[in-house]
Amino acid sequence: MADLEKFRAETRAWLEENCPPDMRKPMRGEEDICWGGKRWKFQSEAQKIWLERMAARGWTVPTWPKEYGGGGLSKEEAKILKEEMRRIKARSPLESFGIWMLGPALLEYGAHEQKAHFLPPIARGEIRWCQGYSEPNAGSDLASLQCRCEDRGDHWLVNGQKIWTSYADESDWIFVLVRTDREAPKHLGISFILIDMESPGVTTRPIRLISGKSPFCETFFDDVKVPKEHAPGVSAVVGELNRGWDVAKYLLTHEREMIGAGGSGAIGGAASPGEVAARLVGVDETGRLADPILRGRIAEAEIDGWAFLLTMERLKDEAKAGKGMGAKSSMLKYYGTEFNKRRYELMMDAAGSDGLEWEGERSEDGKLARSWLRTKANSIEGGTSEVQLNIIAKRILELPDA
Amino acid sequence: MADLEKFRAETRAWLEENCPPDMRKPMRGEEDICWGGKRWKFQSEAQKIWLERMAARGWTVPTWPKEYGGGGLSKEEAKILKEEMRRIKARSPLESFGIWMLGPALLEYGAHEQKAHFLPPIARGEIRWCQGYSEPNAGSDLASLQCRCEDRGDHWLVNGQKIWTSYADESDWIFVLVRTDREAPKHLGISFILIDMESPGVTTRPIRLISGKSPFCETFFDDVKVPKEHAPGVSAVVGELNRGWDVAKYLLTHEREMIGAGGSGAIGGAASPGEVAARLVGVDETGRLADPILRGRIAEAEIDGWAFLLTMERLKDEAKAGKGMGAKSSMLKYYGTEFNKRRYELMMDAAGSDGLEWEGERSEDGKLARSWLRTKANSIEGGTSEVQLNIIAKRILELPDA
Amino acid sequence: MPLVLTEEQEMLRDAARGFLEAKAPVSALRKLRDARDEVGFSRDLWKEMAEMGWAGVLVEEAFGGSDFGFAGAGVLAEEMGRTLTASPFLSTSILAATALKKYACEAHRQEYLPKIAAGDLVMALAVDEKNKHAPAKTALRAEKSGNAFRLSGEKTFVADGHVADKLIVAARTAGAPGEEAGITLFLVDAQAKGVARERTIMVDSRNAARVRFDGVEATGDDVVGEIDGGWRALEGVLNAGRAGLAAEMSGSAQRAFEMTVGYLKERTQFGRPIGAFQALQHRAAHLYCELELARSAALKALQVLDESFEAAGAFCSLAKAKAGAVARLASQEAIQMHGGIGMTDEHDIGLYMKRIRVAQEMFGDPAFHADRIARLRGY
Amino acid sequence: MPLVLTEEQEMLRDAARGFLEAKAPVSALRKLRDARDEVGFSRDLWKEMAEMGWAGVLVEEAFGGSDFGFAGAGVLAEEMGRTLTASPFLSTSILAATALKKYACEAHRQEYLPKIAAGDLVMALAVDEKNKHAPAKTALRAEKSGNAFRLSGEKTFVADGHVADKLIVAARTAGAPGEEAGITLFLVDAQAKGVARERTIMVDSRNAARVRFDGVEATGDDVVGEIDGGWRALEGVLNAGRAGLAAEMSGSAQRAFEMTVGYLKERTQFGRPIGAFQALQHRAAHLYCELELARSAALKALQVLDESFEAAGAFCSLAKAKAGAVARLASQEAIQMHGGIGMTDEHDIGLYMKRIRVAQEMFGDPAFHADRIARLRGY
C-alpha cells in the first residue's frame, strides 16, 4: 500500500508538471480526440507534446509490458494513473483501435516478434489501425464471411470487401478477418491478418449514415498482395492459420463489454431525460412536468436506467470478488444499448419540434436529431440485440438449441 | 324486403306473447344460463317454458335446418330474430357446446343419419355435450394427442385422458379427438368420435384454477367401449376415419373467432379502466386521475382498446363486403386476449388493496381478483398467443419456416 | 357507414398509387433533399396532382374541386405516406381547405378555394409557438387598433410556411395563454409587411418555417371564423390535419413494414432467411396487428370528419395517437431488422423513420393525444 | 461498499435457503391456506426462526438480536420470497423493529425489542386507509384530550394486523389529510378498548386486516417519534418495508423464473422442448436481464439503509418500483409459458403470481414510486 501511495504521489507530481494546460480542458467532442497515425495533424502543440511525454513513459498504454512500449503498470497503478488524470481533468493523450483492439489481440495471441514490431508504434501513436471484420453479406453471421485470402507461396492474395471499417480512410494499417480455407466448416478456415493500407489494390469509401457523416467506411481488396512476413520473423497472420475465429471472438467479447458500458455511460451523466424534459417542456403549477404522460414514461425509464447502472456496478464488484462476468456482458450490451435508444426517444419527445431541426446554429446542426438517429445503430453494431439475447438464452439460461 | 319486414312483425308479436317476463330480466351471471341436458334442473318455470316454446319453433338454433330441429331461418331472418330478442331483452333460451361446436361440426361433416339422430335433442336442450380435445401432454401441439381408440370389431375401445373438458361433470355426451392410427403421421390417424358419458370406464374430475372453481374437468377413459353405431346407421365417428383433424381444425377456427370477439367484447362495455380508476382512485383538483402514471397507462390502453374495437368493426365490414377474414381471426384472438389481460391488470392497479380481497361480501368473494386471474388463461386457451403469432407470421406475412 | 373504403375510394387509391410510384417515388424526395431544393417540393408535380383533383380534394365541385371528402383525402395522404411524397397537400389541401370551407366567409371561399383546387395557391397554418404542440397556449398577440389588428409574435413548425402565399395564423385577441377563449384566426399575406420567414431544414427534408410577425396589419375582413372565438375553428382544422397525418403515417408505416418483411425473406444469416427466426416472426406479427389497428383508427377518424365534423375530436386524437405510436414502432423495428444496411443513408428505410418522427410530432404527439383523450373521457 | 453480499450474508443466505426449503416450502403455505388457518402462519416455525436470529435480524445483540442489518434482513426476505413463506417477518422484524430501533424512546426499545427478537411479540404497521397507498393522506384522527389522545378512524391492508399484539398507528394530530406535517405514530395495544379488527382473506392467502379505532385511548408515552412530526419516522419505516418487499419480490420472481426456465427445458411441443423456440428464448433472456436489474436495485436500497438511513428514500422507491414491475412481468411470463398447467390451482406457479401482486401493491405500487422519484428529481 505504501508503494501505491508513493506511486500516486509521484504520478501526481509528474502529471502536474507535464500535462499542458490546454490538455486539461474538457474535450468539446470527438474532434478533440488524438488518434495519431502517419497522416495525423496535431490540433495543437500541446496535443503533440502531451502525446510525446505520455508515450515516452508508456502511459498511452499503461498496462502493456514495457518492452512493447507500455507502462508496465499493475492494475492498481493503472487505476491510480486514471484517477490522477481525472483529478486534473487531463485528456486522454491517444485513442485508437490499435490500443482498444489490436493491442489486446496481439498481447493474447501474437508471437513475440509481432508484438515487438507492431505494439511500440501503436503506443507512440505513429501507426493508426482500423478493423476489417464485417462484410455486407455477413452481418450478425460474421463467421459466414467471404473475403478470400489465398496462399501464393511468398505472399497472401486478398480479394473481397469489408464494411463498417471505422476511420479506414484515415488509417495506416488494417487488421482483417479473411477466409483462408474455403473447404473447412465456416468457423474454421478464418484467419486474422494484418495489412498495410498503402498496399496496391486497397481502396476505401466513407459511408454516410442516416445520422449524417460517419467514421465508417467500406474497404475493398482487389488482388492485394500481403507479404507472408512484414519483417523478418513477423508473420502477417496473428495466431494460428485458420484459427482467426478465436482471435475474433476474443475481441468481440472485449468490444461488447466496451459498448455495453459505453452505451449506457451517459445515463449517469448530467443529461437525464427528466431534467432535459423539465427544461424543454416546462413544469405545471404543482412543479410536475407539464406533459403528464411523457413524465410517466420518463420516470419509468429513469428507474430502468438507474437500476441498470447499479447492475453494472454490481457486476463490476462481483468481478472484483473473483466472479467472472462471462456471458453477462451480453446483458450489458443488450440492455445498455436498448436503454440508450429509449433515452434518446424520450429526449426527442421532450425536445418536440426543436429537436427535429437538422441544420443551423440553433440546433447545432441537428445535434440531438443526429444523436437520436445514431443510437439506432447501438443495438446493431458489436453484435445485435438479437444475438445478445441468443447468447443469454444459450449460455446463461442453457436453453436448448432450436 | 317486404318479406323480412313481415317476418320481423310476426317475430316481434310472437316474442311479445311468448317470452315470459322473468326471461326478460338481465342475467345476473353465468348461473342464469340455461344449459339443458338430462340432469338439468330448471331454475324456474319461466326458464322451462321459454326453452320449450323456442325449441318448438326451432329458434334455439335458428339457422339449423328444420329437419334437424332448427328454425330454418336465413341469415337475415336470424339477425332479425336476434334484434327483436334484444329489443325486449329476452334471454337466450339455451346455450351449449352442442350448439356452438358439435352442431356446426355435424352440419359440415356429419352423415344425414348422425344429424337426424343427434341434432334435434341438442336443439331441444335434452342432451348436453362437452368437448374432449386437449390432453396434458398435447397443449398447443394438439395433433400430438395420444388418447387411443382401437378397432375391436363391433366396437371401439378408448383409453386415455382429456383435459379442459368444460362441464364434463354435468354433461351427457362428449365429442372426443382420439388416435385411431398410431402408425400414421401425427396429423393423420386422428378421428372425431362421439361417446356417451354414462359408458362404463368414463370418469371425470373438476379442475380448480388459480381463480377458483371452474367449469373445466379432466376426463379419463379406461377401457371404454364405444359401439361402432350408436343407433342403426348412426356411426360413432364423425367424418372420415383418421381424418378427424379436419373436423378439429374447422372447429378451432370457429372457436378462435368466438374467443377473439368475446375476449374483447367487454372492452366497449361500461366498465372502462379509465372510469373505474376515476371512481376507485379519485381525481385531483384539475379533474385528472390522482395517480398520474396510472392515468397515462390507462389512456394508452384505452387507445389500443378502442382501435382494436374499430378493427373488429372493420374486419366485420370487410367480411360483409366479401373479403374473408381468414387468418386475421388470429389477430383478433391474439390482440383481444392480450388486451383483456392488460385491461384487468389496470383495473387491479386502480382497485389497489381492495382488489386483493379474495373472500367476503365487500369484494363479492374476490370478484375482481378472480376475474383478473381468469384472464390469464385467455391467451392460452383456444390457441396460445404464441400459436396465433405463428399463424400470422406464416399465413399472412408468409414468412419462411424455421 | 361501413368501415371500409368505398369502391370510388378504392379506385382513387389504385390510381394514386400508380401515379406516385411513377412520378413521386422515394427517390424524388431524395433528389429534392440532395439538390437542397429551395421550394422543397416540385411545383410541376403539384400542378399535375391538382389536375387530377388532389389539390381540391376537399373543395366543392362548384369551385373546381373534386370533393372527395376527408376519407378521400385520407386515401391520398396514406398513399403519399407510402412514397414519402413532398407536396403542400397537408398544409393547403387539408388544413387550409378545411379552414376556408368550414369557417370562412363566402368571399374568402370564392376567392381562395378555386385557386387551391387549381394548385395555384399554397397556404400554411401557423399555430405552434414553442417546441411542443399546445394550441391553447397561443400567445402571439393581435392588438386591436381602430378597425385593424396588429400581429406580433412568433410561430414555429409551420409546414410549408416558407413557400406559402397565405398564412392562417392563430393569434390571441383576448384572454391569456392557456385559455381556449380569446383566440382568433387571421388570414395573412405571406408577403405582408412585418412578416419574416426562416425556412427550417428538418430531419425529414420536408418543409417547415419559423415565422416572425412584427406588427403585421390585418383587418376584420381577414378573420376566419369568429373573433375571440377562433378556438372552435382551430380545433376543427387541427382535427382534420391530425386525421390526415394519421393516414399519412399509416401509409408510411405500412410501406416500411412491407420493405422489412421483404428483407426478412431475402436476407440470409446463419444459413437461412432471417424471417425464419421465430423471435423476428413474432415481432413482425405483433407489428402487423398494430398496423391494422392504426389503419382502422385513421379510417374511422376520416369517416367521422365527413359524417359529423364537430364530433370528430376524440376520433382524431385516437387516430393521431395510435398511428403515431405504431408508426414509430414500425420505423424502429424496420431499422433494427434491416441491421447495418438500414443505418446507411443510401437505403430508403431511414427516410421513413425521419418522416414518421416529424409527422408524429406535428399537431400533438401520442402523449398529447392520450392526455386529450383522458380529459375528454373525464379522468 | 461493494454491491455484493458479504461472506457473512452469503452464509446467512445458504442457511436460510436450506432451512426454508426443508421447513417452509410452498406446500406449507398451501396447507395453511387449505386449512383456513386462523393465524395464517406457523407460530412454531416463527419461534424457530427467532432462535436462528431472524426475528431479531435488525435488533441489537444487547437486546438478544442478531443485528444483521438491513442487508441481512433483505437476504432473509428474498429467501422467504422464494418459498412464499408466511411469517410476521415483514410486519414485526422489519417494520416494527425499524420503528422502535430508529425512533422509539429507550423505554420502548427496552421493552419491545427483546420480545421481538425472541419471537414473542407480533406487531403490525397500520398506515393505509384507502385502496391506494398514500401515507400523507392519513386521516385517522387522534384528538387531544388533556394528557391523552383518542384515536378514531379506519385502517386497511394492515399486514398481520389480525394477530398482532401491538399496532403502530399513523394518526393525524394536526393539519389536514394530504399534508406531511401533523402526523403522529402511536403504539396501540391490539386488545385496547375500541379496537375492532377484521381479518381480510387476501388473494395471496397471507394475512391482512382492517382495523377500526373507535375512540381508542393513547397517551404521550405511546408516541413513537415526535408528536405532529411523525412523518419522518413513518417514511423511514415505510422505506425499510419497501426495500424488504423489493427483496422479497426479487426472490419470488427469481424462483418463478427458475421454475419457468425448468419447464421450458422439460415441456415438449411440436417435437422439441419449448425452450428451443426462439421467441420464448428471447423473452426469457429479456426477463433474465430485468431480474438482474431488480436484484441490483433491491440490494442497493438495503445497503443504503444500513449506511445512511436518512438518504435511502429514493433508493427504496427505485427498488420497490423496479422489483414490483419486474416481478409482475416474471409472474405473467411464468403463467403464459407454463400454459394450461400454470392456470391450475394444483401447480405452485399461480401462488407466486398472487403473492407478487400483493407485495407489489403494498406500500406503493410501481406507479406510486415512479411518481415519487419524478418528484424527488424535480420534474
Side-chain angles (χ1 to χ4, degrees), chain D residues 173-228:
Chain D
T173 41
E179 293 172 15
E180 294 175 355
I183 291 173
T184 307
L185 297 187
F186 290 93
L187 206 54
V188 175
D189 198 293
Q191 309 295 338
K193 198 167 157 252
V195 174
R197 297 186 286 176
E198 173 202 0
R199 178 179 181 186
T200 44
I201 308 285
M202 306 297 268
V203 63
D204 65 342
S205 312
R206 293 280 287 278
N207 307 315
R210 290 179 185 251
V211 186
R212 253 202 89 69
F213 297 81
D214 203 356
V216 176
E217 208 163 292
T219 71
D221 287 348
D222 298 321
V223 169
V224 178
E226 292 168 38
I227 292 177
D228 293 350

Side-chain angles (χ1 to χ4, degrees), chain D residues 36-194:
Chain D
R36 303 185 68 79
D37 187 275
E38 283 192 14
V39 175
F41 60 87
S42 159
R43 289 199 189 269
D44 290 346
L45 188 76
W46 182 236
K47 198 75 189 159
E48 272 190 78
M49 291 180 181
E51 277 159 25
M52 290 188 298
W54 296 9
V57 66
L58 294 179
V59 177
E60 297 94 316
E61 288 176 19
F63 292 140
S66 55
D67 209 4
F68 285 139
F70 287 102
V75 165
L76 295 174
E78 185 174 338
E79 292 305 316
M80 291 191 217
R82 290 178 61 90
T83 47
L84 303 179
T85 301
S87 87
F89 183 72
L90 177 75
S91 57
T92 303
S93 304
I94 294 187
L95 297 168
T98 301
L100 291 164
K101 185 174 171 180
K102 296 280 182 184
Y103 303 102
C105 60
E106 194 55 28
H108 281 163
R109 291 160 43 79
Q110 293 203 2
E111 183 177 358
Y112 298 120
L113 285 172
K115 286 186 189 161
I116 284 179
D120 289 336
L121 183 72
V122 171
M123 293 181 76
L125 177 71
V127 51
D128 286 340
E129 302 180 7
K130 290 221 171 118
N131 57 329
K132 295 301 284 185
H133 182 62
K137 291 194 182 155
T138 293
L140 182 142
R141 301 293 312 179
E143 304 278 359
K144 184 125 189 173
S145 69
N147 202 24
F149 295 88
R150 287 188 172 278
L151 278 61
S152 292
E154 272 189 56
K155 292 288 180 182
T156 185
F157 207 21
V158 183
D160 293 317
H162 70 305
V163 286
D165 306 298
K166 287 267 177 191
L167 301 169
I168 299 172
V169 184
R172 186 157 290 286
T173 41
E179 293 172 15
E180 294 175 355
I183 291 173
T184 307
L185 297 187
F186 290 93
L187 206 54
V188 175
D189 198 293
Q191 309 295 338
K193 198 167 157 252

Side-chain angles (χ1 to χ4, degrees), chain B residues 273-307:
Chain B
E275 287 157 356
V276 170
R279 182 162 49 74
L280 295 175
V281 178
V283 294
D284 65 16
E285 58 290 343
T286 67
R288 294 192 301 209
L289 201 60
D291 182 332
I293 289 176
L294 178 62
R295 174 176 178 271
R297 296 219 330 271
I298 287 176
E300 286 169 341
E302 292 215 296
I303 286 167
D304 288 344
W306 196 2

